[in-house]
Amino acid sequence: MFSPPNIFGTSPSMFESELTGRIRIDDDYDTRSGTEMDAPSGDEQDPGQRPKRKRYHRHTQRQIQEMEAFFSECPHPDDKQRKELGRELGLEPLQVKFWFQNKRTQMKAQHERHENALLKAENEKLRAENNRYKEALSNTTCPNCGGPAALGEMSFDEQHLRIENARLREEIDRISGPAAKYVGRHMSSSFPRFPGGAINFGTQSGFVGEMYGGGGGGGGGDFLRSVSGPTEAEKPMIVELAVAAMEELMRMAHSGEPLWVRGENSMDVLNEEEYLRTFPRGIGPKPLGLRSEASRDSAVIIMNHVSLVEILMDVNQWSRVFCGIVSRAMTLEVLSTGVAGNCNGALQVMTAEFQLPSPLVPTRENYFVRYCKQHSDGIWAVVDVSLDNLRPNPISKCRRRPSGCLIQELPNGYSKVIWVEHVEVDDRAVHNIYKPLVNSGLAFGAKRWVVTLDRQCERLASSMANNIPAGDLCVITSLEGRKSMMKLAERMVTSFCTGVGASTTHAWTTLSASGSDDVRVMTRKSVDDPGRPPGIVLSAATSFLIPVPPKRIFDFLRDENARSEWDILSNGGLVEEIAHIANGRDPGNCVSLLRVNSGNSNQTNMLILQESCIDATGSYVIYAPVDIVAMNVVLGGGDPDYVALLPSGFAILPDGPGLNGEGIVEIGSGGSLLTVAFQILVDSVPTSKLSLGSVTTVNSLLKCTVERIKAAVMCDNA
């Protein structure tokens, strides 16, 4: 009969005796600080005399405070220091010496009591684990004959699974500690077994936390505001699911063929059959009607790994950096904040809405857990995985299999990021002109996350630059002025992105039915918002396909000399750039302040704040009229939050991978998907009724702008 070795090395009783045999200090140690004087030792005392009562000197509060302060700096004062301290406090040097001896003894006792308690708890844990191993081994049977099994009869796969299970159990136990106070009971160490299917959130309306993004009130069915936080019974399963998801992400990030194969658009494409063989459990089979999207991409980012982790684990920073992808996000509950003062082990339950900048592509809403882990020095990972199967419902439109990124520290403040996106989605409501882009994985895939992060990190580095040459008069060299202007532009871009997509907070109304040029409109009421003018705001947007490369359209729209060809509001006036801030390597990435010089001398010259940005997956040109007085305050480093903005602009996306001039598949070499959006204040009184004439005017303005852009770029592209 196989007898397992004692993993302690000594018996439990011997181990406990060692703990209890350490130096003991009375638990009722007198915390009233004092010193004992004139007490002879046992060798000096006359056996025939009664022992003299020790004189006890009680120190004053001031003396205690002064010595406590000195002790924190120097626990072992020398003779000179003791004399000096005694002279200041009116004490004998011997009294000072005894006080410091007593204080050191007290601190040592407290430390040893704490250490003993930890060792005792660890001993109990090891004893229980040892007993479980004994019981498991005694009940092991041979898979061939059914009899008792010796350890050597286990197959290699069985031993590997036991080792892997023990390692994962340790990780679950490690993050269960900080989460236990929220869960309220012991975490199970077995992996969750979820049934197939999708999410059911019922009719719950309560939620915790603050929603980031989102606009005015929309119609019913707002997924993010209907979902509530996890129940106590769900939290142990969430912890275990997060640990399993982290394991899957790490393998997905590092694996090559046959799990990943190279796609036509230079992205890694997942081999689904191999994936199911490699990860047979996961979050269950793919629900009927959902299509799989999986991609992987990597890049070197100009930001240190610690800052990247902090951005990903803060819902507000994460939403701002990825404002073109994340329209709304919210942390429902934080199960763990991590350990050692950083995000290692942080665990939070979240909801988010992911978008493409067009009202023709439905958003993707997810309820998921995000888990952060430090794998080694300088290597971190952040993973998301859907919690849909906790509350099954057949109407789920999207769920996230383990997705996220691996971050590796590089020299000089750089980081290497490997990003994995893996979702299952019902995309049947996507407009036909956007289907090639969405099906290619460029719309919501890993490449879009990586290039957006790269561009935003360049933008942040630019805002912090302090070595700007002053040769060009348009360049803003003041660091405070640059930061304020870029912060204002960031708010403008975020407002545009969250307002142009098909979020469930929006109630778009179609004004025409002429195919792909349908105009969507909606209204918002702005009250007591310092960042928006008060009144009724009308938003109008349209998306259409145009057979011109995206780069050509981007260059045309950001050229101030060509602005009069499409911008009706400039009224044919000369547009000049009076200030700009470069935002990265590409000259198209910049923030500009434009002045429209009208030919009418009675009309006040207008200023326009504009940000243009471009990367491998798309580009934006976003602008808003701004008050001259307010912009002077911003350029002087003043607070930009009180500058009212109504952003309008353009989102330019490729219509999918196309062939370049050499016949090679390349993003952006085909046609373009152009979204044009306007926001106009139609009435400064929020309680006013919207007139049909205002809607007609905005509709005509949008259509006229579209026709002008088509005519200009098609002519130049011919």
Side-chain angles (χ1 to χ4, degrees):
M1 183 69 182
F2 173 76
S3 177
N6 189 328
I7 64 174
F8 298 113
T10 58
S11 66
S13 59
M14 291 175 62
F15 189 83
E16 290 177 353
S17 65
E18 290 180 7
L19 294 180
T20 56
R22 290 175 177 258
I23 297 175
R24 292 188 175 184
I25 304 297
D26 192 295
D27 288 343
D28 298 326
Y29 184 89
D30 192 350
T31 57
R32 299 171 300 168
S33 182
T35 54
E36 297 174 353
M37 300 292 295
D38 301 335
S41 65
D43 294 338
E44 298 173 348
Q45 187 174 341
D46 188 345
Q49 290 182 334
R50 292 182 59 186
K52 293 183 179 180
R53 184 178 180 84
K54 296 179 180 180
R55 292 189 293 108
Y56 187 86
H57 172 77
R58 187 183 300 279
H59 299 314
T60 66
Q61 190 65 29
R62 174 181 171 275
Q63 291 170 336
I64 295 173
Q65 290 175 350
E66 292 291 336
M67 287 190 289
E68 290 276 6
F70 196 93
F71 183 87
S72 63
E73 299 291 335
C74 178
H76 294 271
D78 56 26
D79 291 340
K80 183 178 179 181
Q81 290 172 317
R82 288 196 296 267
K83 290 178 181 178
E84 183 66 25
L85 190 59
R87 185 164 50 250
E88 292 178 2
L89 301 178
L91 296 173
E92 294 295 328
L94 196 58
Q95 290 177 295
V96 176
K97 178 180 179 181
F98 287 160
W99 186 92
F100 273 84
Q101 287 178 346
N102 292 342
K103 183 67 176 178
R104 288 194 296 269
T105 303
Q106 181 187 24
M107 296 301 292
K108 180 180 179 182
Q110 291 176 353
H111 175 74
E112 290 184 346
R113 282 200 297 271
H114 177 66
E115 183 179 327
N116 288 346
L118 292 179
L119 289 172
K120 186 175 181 181
E122 184 68 17
N123 185 32
E124 293 295 333
K125 181 179 177 181
L126 291 174
R127 181 190 287 110
E129 188 76 9
N130 197 23
N131 291 335
R132 285 199 297 270
Y133 286 148
K134 287 181 180 179
E135 182 179 356
L137 288 171
S138 65
N139 295 329
T140 302
T141 58
C142 175
N144 296 323
C145 66
L151 185 62
E153 293 175 343
M154 294 183 187
S155 68
F156 174 80
D157 288 339
E158 286 181 276
Q159 294 185 42
H160 178 74
L161 288 174
R162 286 175 180 270
I163 295 172
E164 189 74 3
N165 193 36
R167 188 184 64 78
L168 293 175
R169 183 186 294 115
E170 288 177 2
E171 185 174 348
I172 291 173
D173 289 341
R174 183 177 62 79
I175 67 170
S176 295
K181 59 180 179 180
Y182 299 99
V183 177
R185 62 186 178 87
H186 176 68
M187 301 287 190
S188 168
S189 292
S190 61
F191 284 96
R193 298 181 181 272
F194 300 120
I199 193 165
N200 177 15
F201 293 96
T203 58
Q204 298 168 346
S205 59
F207 60 89
V208 182
E210 182 175 346
M211 180 76 72
Y212 178 91
D222 187 347
F223 174 90
L224 297 192
R225 291 198 178 276
S226 67
V227 66
S228 63
T231 65
E232 293 302 312
E234 292 170 341
K235 290 176 183 177
M237 291 186 288
I238 290 174
V239 171
E240 294 169 4
L241 184 60
V243 173
M246 178 63 72
E247 179 74 11
E248 180 173 324
L249 175 70
M250 295 301 295
R251 296 176 67 182
M252 292 277 282
H254 289 119
S255 297
E257 293 185 358
L259 186 62
W260 291 98
V261 294
R262 200 66 172 169
E264 291 183 347
N265 51 5
S266 301
M267 287 194 302
D268 293 332
V269 179
L270 186 67
N271 181 337
E272 289 195 43
E273 293 183 0
E274 184 66 25
Y275 172 79
L276 293 176
R277 283 194 294 268
T278 307
F279 306 103
R281 297 177 67 181
I283 58 174
K286 180 174 62 179
L288 189 64
L290 300 190
R291 183 180 65 86
S292 291
E293 281 184 16
S295 57
R296 182 176 66 177
D297 202 9
S298 62
V300 174
I301 305 296
I302 182 171
M303 181 177 285
N304 70 74
H305 63 295
V306 175
S307 298
L308 279 177
V309 169
E310 290 176 352
I311 287 174
L312 295 174
M313 297 308 295
D314 182 293
V315 68
N316 292 328
Q317 293 189 66
W318 175 63
S319 301
R320 281 196 298 270
V321 168
F322 297 103
C323 63
I325 306 176
V326 181
S327 59
R328 290 186 298 162
M330 177 171 54
T331 299
L332 296 176
E333 189 161 344
V334 177
L335 299 184
S336 173
T337 57
V339 295
N342 57 35
C343 295
N344 185 22
L347 196 71
Q348 54 194 39
V349 177
M350 306 173 64
T351 58
E353 185 180 43
F354 305 104
Q355 68 168 1
L356 206 63
S358 170
L360 302 184
V361 181
T363 54
R364 299 178 173 186
E365 299 161 324
N366 285 133
Y367 171 54
F368 58 96
V369 59
R370 175 166 293 179
Y371 174 38
C372 175
K373 179 184 177 183
Q374 181 179 12
H375 290 269
S376 61
D377 189 24
I379 297 181
W380 292 71
V382 177
V383 66
D384 298 342
V385 62
S386 280
L387 301 176
D388 298 25
N389 289 336
L390 294 178
R391 308 170 186 177
N393 186 333
I395 65 171
S396 175
K397 297 291 182 69
C398 179
R399 68 176 190 170
R400 289 172 75 76
R401 287 191 178 271
S403 302
C405 63
L406 180 68
I407 303 169
Q408 178 182 349
E409 179 185 11
L410 296 179
N412 302 320
Y414 283 77
S415 301
K416 181 181 179 181
V417 174
I418 302 175
W419 202 289
V420 175
E421 275 296 303
H422 192 186
V423 301
E424 294 165 342
V425 61
D426 179 358
D427 59 1
R428 287 172 292 184
V430 174
H431 196 283
N432 286 335
I433 66 172
Y434 278 91
K435 280 189 180 296
L437 177 67
V438 173
N439 291 341
S440 71
L442 296 174
F444 295 94
K447 190 173 190 66
R448 188 169 174 226
W449 287 93
V450 168
V451 298
T452 299
L453 178 61
D454 185 25
R455 175 169 52 79
Q456 290 287 55
C457 287
E458 282 191 357
R459 187 185 195 279
L460 181 60
S462 174
S463 69
M464 304 300 293
N466 53 14
N467 55 347
I468 308 299
D472 191 338
L473 296 178
C474 293
V475 176
I476 302 173
T477 57
S478 163
L479 181 60
E480 293 76 14
R482 289 169 59 86
K483 285 185 177 180
S484 293
M485 185 166 166
M486 292 187 71
K487 185 178 179 182
L488 180 61
E490 179 185 63
R491 177 159 64 86
M492 176 181 68
V493 172
T494 300
S495 177
F496 174 85
C497 291
T498 56
V500 75
S503 171
T504 54
T505 59
H506 300 163
W508 292 104
T509 301
T510 305
L511 290 186
S512 62
S514 57
S516 62
D517 291 345
D518 293 349
V519 175
R520 267 73 169 175
V521 298
M522 65 176 173
T523 60
R524 302 181 185 183
K525 292 182 180 180
S526 176
V527 182
D528 297 330
D529 185 352
R532 295 174 182 267
I536 297 179
V537 177
L538 184 64
S539 297
T542 188
S543 298
F544 57 93
L545 176 63
I546 183 169
V548 178
K551 184 67 165 58
R552 168 72 191 99
I553 299 176
F554 175 74
D555 291 339
F556 169 75
L557 292 174
R558 64 177 294 269
D559 182 5
E560 64 267 22
N561 296 321
R563 196 177 189 97
S564 59
E565 296 184 43
W566 59 265
D567 190 356
I568 300 173
L569 297 180
S570 66
N571 199 24
L574 177 66
V575 179
E576 62 174 332
E577 184 182 62
I578 60 175
H580 78 262
I581 303 172
N583 274 348
R585 295 183 295 263
D586 195 295
N589 292 336
C590 67
V591 177
S592 304
L593 189 60
L594 309 175
R595 180 168 57 203
V596 181
N597 298 314
S598 173
N600 186 351
S601 59
N602 296 325
Q603 182 176 340
T604 304
N605 289 349
M606 179 176 62
L607 293 183
I608 296 175
L609 177 67
Q610 177 175 290
E611 175 156 353
S612 59
C613 53
I614 185 171
D615 58 44
T617 61
S619 56
Y620 297 88
V621 178
I622 302 168
Y623 63 94
V626 289
D627 181 71
I628 295 178
V629 176
M631 279 309 302
N632 282 331
V633 174
V634 171
L635 293 175
D639 187 0
D641 290 342
Y642 294 95
V643 178
L645 292 175
L646 284 179
S648 301
F650 310 90
I652 312 158
L653 303 177
D655 65 348
L659 296 177
N660 62 16
E662 301 176 356
I664 301 174
V665 175
E666 183 180 280
I667 301 170
S669 59
S672 302
L673 296 166
L674 179 60
T675 296
V676 186
F678 287 151
Q679 291 190 54
I680 298 176
L681 183 68
V682 296
D683 201 308
S684 59
V685 180
T687 56
S688 299
K689 298 292 184 180
L690 181 66
S691 66
L692 183 59
S694 299
V695 176
T696 304
T697 300
V698 173
N699 187 28
S700 300
L701 173 64
L702 191 61
K703 286 193 170 185
C704 183
T705 302
V706 169
E707 292 303 321
R708 288 190 175 196
I709 292 173
K710 283 183 176 180
V713 298
M714 291 293 288
C715 177
D716 293 341
N717 199 58

